[in-house]
Amino acid sequence: MIVKLTMIQMAALSVVVLFVGQFLKKKCHILEKYCIPSPVVGGVVFALLTLILKVSGILEFEMDTTLQSFFMITFFTTVGFTASLKMLKNGGKDVLLFLMLAVVLVIFQDLIGVGLAKIFNLNPLIGLSTGSVPMTGGHGTSGSFAPKFEELGAIGATTVAMASATFGLIAGSTIGGPIANSLINRYALHREHPNHNESSNVSISETPEVSSATFLSGASAILIAMGLGTILSMLLEKTGMTFPPYIGAMFAAAIIRNIVDASEKMTLKTFEIDIIGNVSLSLFLSMALMGLKLWQLADLALPLVVMLMAQVLFMAFFAYFITFNIMGRNYDAAVLAAGHCGFGMGATPNAIANMEVISAKYGFSYKAFFILPLVGSLFIDFVNAGVITFFVNLF
């Protein structure tokens, strides 16, 4: 029996799945420890349920994913609004240096994924589905690019990418602490007491008051950027290259953000935009995980394990020998190495969690806690999307 879910029913069910994920995350300490997102928890539970129902021949779901695309584009539009060149410039050379390291990691993650895919005689796009798409990109980028990969012939890419992203969250959170701890002990590193200039990099501000007027202002900016983004996307498509559906809206939002930064008369409701982005991401991920076809992993089990372990080993090597050395071979660099593991294989919250563990034991690193969120939250999604798009158009 096939159960068809309309666009509205799909949206309603995704909310239920999200709440189930929130409940399970509160009840299970390990989910909280590794910062597994609630929509991922609920979505995987639903995907397992659909697998059982399909294998037993009871029923299958046919879902209208129209709103999934809408929420995806909305989320990445809000990401575009964070791309402030002014903030990047104010961050200094260390921010640019760490961003360059993040770019190098992204490139090698994709090279490893594609290279191993060819060894296993798999579609190179399956390899990308274990590379920077789920690793540096996480579930959000996976849910955006992987369906496009399937349209291009990589059957099971979405399931592979989502499974890889979940694995990356756990692996990145697991290896970061031990790597930093090893570096600190091996080189007898100690936290330097911050001077006035260092501490001024970290600003604490009160949460602004949200009203219907400010919320409407934030939502309006998002919708305008999304509308302009459709024009940019059409222009990009005329090049004959393959781009993710959100790329035009993200660029439009970035342009608007930097125009506002350069103007003294215009303001942008960034707090409200962030709220809308977080809500959109949660609903988008719930819908994306609900549609996982776990039975497609059966034939990819061994190759997937090998490709993911290769990513873990490379991330550990990169953080220990590259990130640590390039960022200064000091205590701050060791903390950044721990954060890079969480950020390079999961998400910025995982990176922060890694660095907090080290800071609680050895002392707070103002430099690390300033650099990593700036790169992880503001700029890497742009770069990652560009690198992935480049690789996709090679095939």
Side-chain angles (χ1 to χ4, degrees), residues 34-37 98 102 105-106 109 112 130-139 142 161-176 179 304-319 337-351 354 372 380 384:
Y34 291 114
C35 304
I36 308 298
F98 188 70
L105 177 65
V106 162
Q109 284 177 334
I112 291 170
T130 65
S132 71
V133 172
M135 295 294 119
T136 296
H139 289 89
S142 297
M162 288 298 189
S164 299
T166 302
F167 172 84
L169 286 173
I170 297 172
S173 298
T174 303
I175 66 175
I179 285 175
L304 184 58
V305 169
V306 173
M307 289 190 282
L308 291 179
M309 290 309 300
Q311 295 288 356
V312 173
L313 292 174
F314 182 75
M315 182 71 255
F317 170 86
F318 193 93
H340 204 178
C341 290
F343 161 56
M345 293 200 70
T348 301
N350 294 67
N354 281 355
L372 192 141
I380 194 59
N384 195 22

Side-chain angles (χ1 to χ4, degrees), residues 230-291:
T230 59
I231 300 173
L232 290 178
S233 292
M234 285 189 292
L235 293 175
L236 289 171
E237 287 174 3
K238 291 184 180 297
T239 64
M241 299 176 67
T242 300
F243 293 93
Y246 63 77
I247 196 69
M250 195 159 73
F251 272 117
I255 293 170
I256 293 173
R257 171 60 190 266
N258 286 281
I259 290 174
V260 171
D261 283 350
S263 171
E264 296 181 356
K265 297 182 179 180
M266 293 186 289
T267 59
L268 200 63
K269 301 299 181 182
T270 55
F271 184 75
E272 288 79 359
I273 288 173
D274 287 342
I275 292 176
I276 296 172
N278 290 333
V279 171
S280 298
L281 177 61
S282 293
L283 294 175
F284 159 54
L285 287 181
S286 291
M287 294 181 185
L289 271 294
M290 285 167 60

Side-chain angles (χ1 to χ4, degrees), residues 60-193:
E60 293 183 46
F61 289 100
E62 191 174 291
M63 307 174 188
D64 185 335
T65 59
T66 302
L67 286 178
Q68 179 181 326
S69 298
F70 173 78
F71 286 124
M72 174 190 68
I73 295 174
T74 301
F75 165 67
F76 279 103
T77 303
T78 65
V79 171
F81 279 113
T82 66
S84 169
L85 295 178
K86 182 178 180 180
M87 290 186 66
L88 179 60
K89 181 180 179 180
N90 291 340
K93 65 177 183 179
D94 287 331
V95 174
L96 289 170
L97 190 59
F98 188 70
L99 178 58
M100 290 174 60
L101 288 176
V103 173
V104 172
L105 177 65
V106 162
I107 293 171
F108 274 97
Q109 284 177 334
D110 288 334
L111 288 173
I112 291 170
V114 172
L116 289 174
K118 290 186 176 181
I119 291 175
F120 286 108
N121 293 318
L122 297 174
N123 190 317
L125 296 177
I126 292 294
L128 285 182
S129 298
T130 65
S132 71
V133 172
M135 295 294 119
T136 296
H139 289 89
T141 303
S142 297
S144 173
F145 272 97
K148 191 69 176 180
F149 294 169
E150 296 206 16
E151 292 177 12
L152 296 172
I155 298 175
T158 300
T159 305
V160 169
M162 288 298 189
S164 299
T166 302
F167 172 84
L169 286 173
I170 297 172
S173 298
T174 303
I175 66 175
I179 285 175
N181 192 68
S182 175
L183 288 168
I184 291 169
N185 291 326
R186 179 180 178 182
Y187 296 103
L189 303 175
H190 299 283
R191 179 178 75 98
E192 297 179 3
H193 292 289

